[in-house]
Amino acid sequence: MPLSEEERKRLEELESDLTAEDPRLAHDLLSGSVGHSFRTSTSFGAMACLIGVALLVAGISSQIIALGVGGFLLMGAGAYLLLDKQKG
């Protein structure tokens, strides 16, 4: 469904307001670099969580405390990367 003239005009006003208020964000949104960094941190966070869980389970089952603690810390770092929405 195409936009009406009023909607198109309002959209252009919002774009100019965004460019005036936060030119860095406007540039990032127009260039598409926001999506790339989001996907990268999300994939690294997911991998870190999965590896951390595996190390935690391995540490518990083998009763090696350092391995379990390392797995827990890696899992926490991965969760931070997954949940962190304030980049930059």
Side-chain angles (χ1 to χ4, degrees):
M1 174 188 290
L3 296 175
S4 69
E5 282 300 316
E6 181 180 330
E7 292 170 332
R8 192 175 315 215
K9 182 179 176 185
R10 181 65 184 140
L11 188 60
E12 289 172 1
E13 289 174 5
L14 287 171
E15 182 180 355
S16 64
D17 288 346
L18 174 65
T19 304
E21 289 179 18
D22 195 351
R24 181 177 168 212
L25 176 63
H27 178 267
D28 287 346
L29 290 174
L30 289 174
S31 69
S33 65
V34 173
H36 176 69
S37 66
F38 178 75
R39 283 190 299 271
T40 302
S41 68
T42 302
S43 61
F44 280 137
M47 285 190 314
C49 276
L50 292 175
I51 294 170
V53 167
L55 289 176
L56 179 63
V57 169
I60 290 172
S61 65
S62 65
Q63 295 183 352
I64 301 174
I65 294 174
L67 186 62
V69 170
F72 179 77
L73 292 175
L74 184 61
M75 187 177 56
Y80 176 78
L81 284 175
L82 278 173
L83 299 175
D84 185 32
K85 302 297 182 209
Q86 297 289 83
K87 299 289 180 193

